[in-house]
Amino acid sequence: MAASSNRIMLGPLVAAIDQGTSSTRFLVFNAKTAELLSHHQVEIKQSFPKEGWVEEDPKEILQSVYECMDRTCEKLTQLNIDVSNIKAVGVTNQRETTLVWDKQTGEPLYNAIVWLDLRTQSTVERLINKTPGKNKNHLKDKTGLPISTYFSAVKLRWLMDNVEKVHEAVLSHRAMFGTVDSWLIWCLTGGKNGGVHCTDVTNASRTMLFNIHTMDWDPELCIYFDIPMGILPKVRSSSEIYGLMKSGPLTGVPISGCLGDQSAALVGQMCFKDGQAKNTYGTGCFLLKNVGTKPVMSDHGLLTTVAYKLGRDKPACYALEGSVAIAGAVVRWLKDNLGIIQTSTELEKLAADVGTSYGCYFVPAFSGLYAPYWEPSARGIICGLTQFTNRSHLAFAALEAVCFQTREILDAMNQDSGINLSQLQVDGGMTSNRLLMQLQADILCIPVVKPSMPETTALGAAMAAGAAEGVSVWSLNPEDLTEVTSEKFEPQINPEESELRYARWKKAVQRAMNWETIEPVNSGNGQKLA
């Protein structure tokens, strides 16, 4: 009897699919208390077919979603929680990652090209060179973005130019383009049998094909990149019913929330007011600040992006974003490429053993430098090495690199707004590293505040799904939002030392610049160096 009465007590539940760069998660929340009830996680394989190339298998991504859903539903059943209480599903995803598939067969026509991928560097240089004044911000007024390898349009252009199957499918009107959200929603709502081809405004705003003022695909941008508008998904708000699940344990449940992962974290951190900000530490590092209902352009290398639009008739809100390509990815690199750690948790212990980098600086510009530099020709560099330097110092330098990169984008954010953030709200996988959080407070010279429930990205997607018209099980009214418990890390070193270390970091960044240039360089002895 207790078990069945327990089931009734919980009320409506909302689930979220969180498809990130390195893993997929499925999480189920209580819509009234925002409590996380159960979840499952599966790692995603990344392949690096050539230097600078990063790909993932679209079918593996989809399979991982089904697996996470099935496992989580099994766990809920074991907890005596009725799966039929799940009233809606939200989707949040790694942004910019680009897929093309055949709408008749449902088959992907190539691997997903991941946001970090650099194969489009020559395309980007060609595009910039043909703009007036060779200006990488040529399209910024419409898109809020610089012309960069990071965004989807150049990846899609590469696929159309270099993959015969994609080229043919576009010509025969069988091709569908989408970011990861579009691929998942299309597949989950029926795929080739009536699947819904859509995206939301936050994901669309990362393609370079979307006009952030008209809030729709821009014909001129599509002409600029020579991309037919017929292959693009329909743009919807971040909170509305897109379609119903067509298979699995949640058949018939509406998919009613969709947000790019960084926007979802902003919502999950309840940053609904102009001026509120959060920093997410995942594969990369992303600082977003809500700037309200009018887009604000940055003078200091930040992006202007759509934060969310929580309903068809609701206004869109915008954000300034500082994007760092490599944060958690540096841990994966130390583990998989150098083998100096076996697990991610080992990094914290190694670094804590020495408590200093001993003058060693590590700029992990594996994919060039993103904000605030937007310098695709930069490459990774480790400098300040002596015979004394060991792997513990390198581990410490890797953690410091994440913090210094955050400091750079926070400085840019403060300069753009003229108002300094008094504390930093943080989330994401790396925030479980307490040494990192303390280092971050020390390097920023402001407190760092971490919610005790770290899954804010998934929470944001669940909130958008639960609040959608026709679902309405989650209230986003400020007075109804649950109080978040959190932990605060206060700065513990004097600001002078912090400034000294930061100045050294800036010097290291300059050393990493202009490394990988496309133009051949003459070495002086008649030999050409790439």
Side-chain angles (χ1 to χ4, degrees), residues 513-525:
M513 295 283 199
N514 301 315
W515 186 263
E516 190 70 35
T517 48
I518 297 297
E519 300 307 313
V521 182
N522 205 311
S523 68
N525 60 2

Side-chain angles (χ1 to χ4, degrees), residues 212-213 215 274-275 289-298 304-308 315-320:
I212 60 173
H213 307 283
M215 297 298 283
D274 189 346
K289 181 177 186 174
N290 189 331
V291 295
T293 53
K294 289 199 169 59
V296 173
M297 292 293 165
S298 167
T304 303
T305 200
V306 179
Y308 52 80
C317 280
Y318 297 88
L320 275 177

Side-chain angles (χ1 to χ4, degrees), residues 369 375-379 509-517 521:
L369 285 166
E375 189 48 77
S377 65
R379 285 295 177 273
V509 169
Q510 290 310 314
R511 299 279 200 280
M513 295 283 199
N514 301 315
W515 186 263
E516 190 70 35
T517 48
V521 182

Side-chain angles (χ1 to χ4, degrees), residues 217-232:
W217 302 122
D218 189 290
E220 286 179 7
L221 290 169
C222 290
I223 290 165
Y224 182 84
F225 289 104
D226 193 18
I227 286 165
M229 294 184 80
I231 71 174
L232 305 177

Side-chain angles (χ1 to χ4, degrees), residues 301-464:
L302 302 179
L303 310 176
T304 303
T305 200
V306 179
Y308 52 80
K309 178 176 159 66
L310 295 172
R312 225 174 300 194
D313 308 321
K314 297 281 196 318
C317 280
Y318 297 88
L320 275 177
E321 171 174 324
S323 330
V324 168
I326 306 290
V330 79
V331 183
R332 201 167 178 165
W333 183 80
L334 289 171
K335 177 166 76 77
D336 297 347
N337 295 33
L338 294 198
I340 69 169
I341 49 170
Q342 261 61 62
T343 63
S344 303
T345 44
E346 230 178 293
L347 186 72
E348 183 173 3
K349 187 187 173 316
L350 258 189
D353 284 348
V354 285
T356 170
S357 68
Y358 213 82
C360 168
Y361 286 79
F362 183 176
V363 182
F366 301 156
S367 294
L369 285 166
Y370 283 15
Y373 302 102
W374 298 105
E375 189 48 77
S377 65
R379 285 295 177 273
I381 186 169
I382 300 170
C383 47
L385 298 172
T386 66
Q387 278 181 305
F388 184 75
T389 313
N390 63 30
R391 65 189 190 137
S392 297
H393 300 122
L394 187 55
F396 197 93
L399 293 182
E400 274 192 319
V402 175
C403 301
F404 285 133
Q405 290 184 107
T406 298
R407 164 89 192 256
E408 290 189 305
I409 52 180
L410 186 72
D411 281 0
M413 196 80 77
N414 288 340
Q415 285 171 310
D416 269 327
S417 64
I419 306 162
N420 288 1
L421 277 182
S422 56
Q423 59 175 35
L424 185 66
Q425 284 176 240
V426 301
D427 57 76
M430 283 188 93
T431 59
S432 61
N433 185 324
R434 301 182 62 80
L435 175 60
L436 178 72
M437 295 294 94
Q438 186 54 55
L439 266 178
Q440 188 67 86
D442 290 347
I443 286 167
L444 296 180
C445 306
I446 58 172
V448 166
V449 181
K450 172 192 149 184
S452 47
M453 201 288 290
E455 302 286 358
T456 47
T457 300
L459 177 62
M463 287 163 66

Side-chain angles (χ1 to χ4, degrees), residues 87-106:
K87 301 300 178 202
V89 177
V91 174
T92 179
N93 56 290
Q94 51 171 317
R95 303 169 305 169
E96 300 97 14
T97 295
T98 301
L99 298 92
V100 180
W101 64 94
D102 185 317
K103 63 179 162 197
Q104 287 171 7
T105 64

